[in-house]
Amino acid sequence: MLTEALQVLKRGGYKLTKQRKSMLEYLSRFKHQYVDIKTIDAHMRKIYPTMSHNTIYRNIKEFEELGIVETRRKAGGASVKYQCDFDNVHHHHFICRNCGHVQEIQMCPLEVFADQLPGCLIEDHRFELHGLCANCQRKLAKV
Ligand SMILES: [Zn+2]
Ligand SMILES: [Zn+2]
Ligand SMILES: [Zn+2]
């Protein structure tokens, strides 16, 4: 499961340290769910007590720049998940507000907005859909 991530790291000229590998192994459990960056930090420091917060956060940033993880920033801090589509790194998500399950949306709505902003250079965008997944709708309907 880590093959793609390891290839990306290698291509980027990054050394595969034991720490990076074990961090990726942990993160790969969160392919369809965001995990709090503080939780990752705590997990890593339990295995490697000498690993600094800085190193952990820097690794996550590198993974993000390489497209190995996806990051989400909120007022309460950032959360991270494993890349859900290495072949199509630029994509968007539907996130279930009940169970937190993340589903990929392949269509990017950027063009729709670009048409309304003639002459503007759009440098970044975040787009996310929220609601209830099919499972949760069924579950909640039964109660
Ligand atoms: Zn994704
Ligand atoms: Zn759900
Ligand atoms: Zn987009």
Side-chain angles (χ1 to χ4, degrees):
M1 189 183 179
L2 279 178
T3 335
E4 285 153 316
L6 299 183
Q7 274 169 3
V8 174
L9 268 184
K10 217 173 148 193
R11 237 183 286 137
Y14 289 86
K15 260 203 254 148
L16 185 65
T17 59
K18 238 197 286 175
Q19 279 125 322
R20 281 204 178 113
K21 189 163 182 223
S22 97
M23 197 184 233
L24 283 172
E25 262 156 14
Y26 179 66
L27 284 167
S28 67
R29 295 184 213 164
F30 302 95
K31 202 176 178 186
H32 294 287
Q33 193 109 24
Y34 277 95
V35 56
D36 207 272
I37 211 157
K38 287 181 199 128
T39 309
I40 303 166
D41 187 60
H43 173 84
M44 288 311 291
R45 285 171 58 85
K46 212 161 70 187
I47 312 176
Y48 301 101
T50 56
M51 206 175 172
S52 72
H53 295 294
N54 268 347
T55 307
I56 294 165
Y57 282 74
R58 202 184 48 237
N59 276 329
I60 292 172
K61 191 141 203 297
E62 283 165 4
F63 293 161
E64 185 190 5
E65 279 160 11
L66 291 165
I68 295 173
V69 299
E70 307 185 86
T71 311
R72 192 176 181 223
R73 283 174 184 83
K74 279 194 302 185
S79 51
V80 180
K81 68 182 274 311
Y82 197 71
Q83 177 60 256
C84 54
D85 191 349
F86 279 92
D87 296 324
N88 179 32
V89 174
H90 182 90
H91 58 260
H92 297 276
H93 294 137
F94 171 84
I95 304 175
C96 177
R97 66 169 160 84
N98 191 51
C99 68
H101 184 81
V102 178
Q103 270 169 257
E104 179 183 352
I105 307 166
Q106 296 219 324
M107 182 250 179
C108 173
L110 187 59
E111 262 176 52
V112 178
F113 299 108
D115 286 347
Q116 293 180 42
L117 299 161
C120 294
L121 173 68
I122 302 168
E123 294 182 313
D124 191 20
H125 70 285
R126 302 204 166 242
F127 177 77
E128 215 172 69
L129 293 176
H130 301 263
L132 284 171
C133 74
N135 263 342
C136 287
Q137 278 189 77
R138 259 195 309 271
K139 254 190 272 165
L140 294 174
K142 267 186 222 153
V143 186

